[in-house]
Amino acid sequence: MRIYLFIAAIAGGITWLITPLIRHLAIQIGAVGKVRARDVHTIPTPRMGGLGMLLGFLGAMFFASRLPFTDNLFRSSHQAWVVMAGAVMICLLGMADDLWDLDWMLKMAGQLLIAVFVAWGGLQIISLPLGSLVTASPSISITITAFLIVASINAVNFVDGLDGLASGIVAIGGIAFAIYSYIIARSSPSYASMATLIDVAMIGICVGFILHNWHPAKLFMGDSGSMLLGYLITCASIVMTGRLDPATIHASIYLPVFMPILLPILVLFLPVLDMCMAIVRRLAKGQSPMHPDRMHLHHRMLKIGHSVQGAVLTLWGWAALIAFGSLMILFFRARYVAIGMAIATVILTIITMYPYLKHRIPEIREENAEIEQRAKHLRGNNGNSGNK
């Protein structure tokens, strides 16, 4: 565990140190986002922060390749190098969008090509742990893998609308999934796990970037960052769940067989929910699924009265509840987890709605007082007319 923490620190440190240089570079080459109608920020802010995150991730992975504990992950399989190559390509595609605002169809085509390349390189969903293994054909494996990667990339991209929101949600999900993958790896002869390694490096770059991206942000991650994070968290999930045999992980004691599928979904629950709601909303209006609007979850949080920081922290809380609540099933009885999650849900609901209620309750009181005043006035008029 200490080695993983050290790798996360390396990733975070590199990202934190190099991000100011990336900000300067973004300003020099014109990667500065204009203020659009749907944006929350009010001044042009440089983007392309994903480049700093990529360098932090690659630095941590190269460092891990030299450690005795994790070097076998790089020597025994080329999966790690495929993941790193895909990370470079997806970040470059995002940088192109940060610079030139690519058409959404062109961008998605690029995402799909990169996802197919990564799947063809060996990062595939080979089997699905559904109580028994379901082995897929190579073509089906590549198709499923590419679809998952593209969907996750765009889910994180959709939720990237407030300073620190996307990186925080991905870091929270990454922590939950890293704990899970580490537990599974302990049942193998070597504790080293490629899924855990990718997760901890990803967590490190998220934390390192948040230090520069907290409101008011000095730099945005841009599509180069949001696409990279969506790609990495999906790669970690595929590395572990795609080849996992439930019979080998002592599911009867700690690890229910449905968790390899359930947890990756819950880790990205908020981004996927936001993406699905946006697609349905836009199609219902006859618009493109990628048509921008101000109806995302974070926009709704601001609309009911949250500050930017308050909205981000509240959505972090929901992400933590979903990710860690599902993880607790591995350690505690289901009814205790259900009770705890119900209590936490009530608390988070109150926190979420508090700004709205804070402003709405006085308005309701004023309306009631006005109605009562009118009623008294009517009663007084009726009394006077009766006397006459």
Side-chain angles (χ1 to χ4, degrees):
M1 179 59 75
R2 286 179 296 179
I3 293 178
Y4 286 130
L5 293 176
F6 188 47
I7 293 171
I10 293 292
I14 293 174
T15 303
W16 178 72
L17 289 172
I18 206 167
T19 293
L21 299 178
I22 301 300
R23 180 180 184 275
H24 180 72
L25 174 64
I27 294 173
Q28 292 298 314
I29 65 177
V32 179
K34 298 179 181 178
V35 179
R36 300 162 297 186
R38 69 179 185 271
D39 290 330
V40 175
H41 64 283
T42 56
I43 58 173
T45 304
R47 45 192 181 182
M48 208 172 73
L51 178 57
M53 303 168 80
L54 173 68
L55 296 176
F57 176 76
L58 295 179
M61 293 294 282
F62 280 119
F63 180 79
S65 70
R66 310 302 300 173
L67 293 176
F69 179 70
T70 52
D71 66 340
N72 187 56
L73 297 174
F74 295 82
R75 289 188 286 105
S76 62
S77 171
H78 60 276
Q79 244 183 6
W81 305 109
V82 171
V83 171
M84 293 164 69
V88 172
M89 290 188 287
I90 203 70
C91 185
L92 289 176
L93 176 63
M95 287 171 59
D97 186 65
D98 291 339
L99 279 167
W100 301 302
D101 286 324
L102 303 178
D103 178 77
W104 73 268
M105 292 185 68
L106 177 62
K107 186 166 58 173
M108 185 166 289
Q111 295 170 0
L112 185 59
L113 287 174
I114 295 169
V116 170
F117 165 79
V118 172
W120 178 77
L123 193 77
Q124 296 180 19
I125 295 288
I126 301 299
S127 57
L128 300 175
L130 297 169
S132 60
L133 290 179
V134 179
T135 304
S137 67
S139 58
I140 295 177
S141 295
I142 292 176
T143 302
I144 295 174
T145 302
F147 172 79
L148 289 176
I149 291 175
V150 172
S152 298
I153 286 172
N154 286 284
V156 176
N157 192 18
F158 270 61
V159 84
D160 180 31
L162 296 180
D163 300 339
L165 179 59
S167 50
I169 287 177
V170 172
I172 290 168
I175 292 171
F177 200 79
I179 293 172
Y180 176 62
S181 60
Y182 178 75
I183 293 171
I184 289 180
R186 292 181 62 184
S187 63
S188 64
S190 172
Y191 280 17
S193 163
M194 178 59 66
T196 311
L197 177 59
I198 295 172
D199 268 323
V200 297
M202 180 189 68
I203 294 165
I205 65 176
C206 287
V207 174
F209 184 74
I210 286 175
L211 298 177
H212 295 283
N213 187 237
W214 189 247
H215 186 75
K218 302 178 181 69
L219 175 73
F220 294 151
M221 68 169 65
D223 276 23
S224 58
S226 61
M227 289 166 56
L228 175 66
L229 294 182
Y231 166 81
L232 290 177
I233 197 167
T234 309
C235 286
S237 172
I238 292 173
V239 166
M240 188 184 73
T241 63
R243 299 173 183 269
L244 185 61
D245 184 349
T248 65
I249 58 174
H250 309 291
S252 61
I253 301 176
Y254 292 110
L255 302 172
V257 293
F258 59 81
M259 286 305 293
I261 291 179
L262 181 61
L263 189 57
I265 295 173
L266 294 176
V267 159
L268 284 176
F269 179 79
L270 280 184
V272 171
L273 174 65
D274 192 32
M275 180 180 69
C276 292
M277 290 173 60
I279 291 174
V280 171
R281 179 175 65 247
R282 292 165 185 175
L283 289 177
K285 294 180 180 179
Q287 299 172 336
S288 162
M290 298 298 174
H291 183 79
D293 58 29
R294 288 181 62 89
M295 295 296 290
H296 289 287
L297 291 176
H298 49 273
H299 289 131
R300 295 172 187 266
M301 294 289 287
L302 296 178
K303 190 175 181 179
I304 65 176
H306 283 278
S307 64
V308 172
Q309 298 96 325
V312 169
L313 291 174
T314 303
L315 290 171
W316 283 6
W318 283 109
L321 171 64
I322 296 168
F324 289 103
S326 58
L327 189 67
M328 289 300 102
I329 297 176
L330 308 180
F331 307 101
F332 304 101
R333 294 183 179 180
R335 63 175 179 269
Y336 296 146
V337 175
I339 293 171
M341 290 188 70
I343 295 172
T345 299
V346 172
I347 295 173
L348 279 173
T349 300
I350 294 172
I351 293 173
T352 301
M353 298 306 299
Y354 176 74
Y356 173 78
L357 297 175
K358 181 181 178 181
H359 291 88
R360 184 59 182 156
I361 289 175
E363 291 177 0
I364 293 174
R365 288 176 178 172
E366 290 179 5
E367 290 173 1
N368 290 338
E370 185 177 348
I371 292 172
E372 186 176 347
Q373 188 66 28
R374 288 179 180 177
K376 288 181 179 179
H377 181 70
L378 289 173
R379 286 196 298 267
N381 288 340
N382 291 335
N384 292 335
S385 63
N387 292 332
K388 290 179 180 179

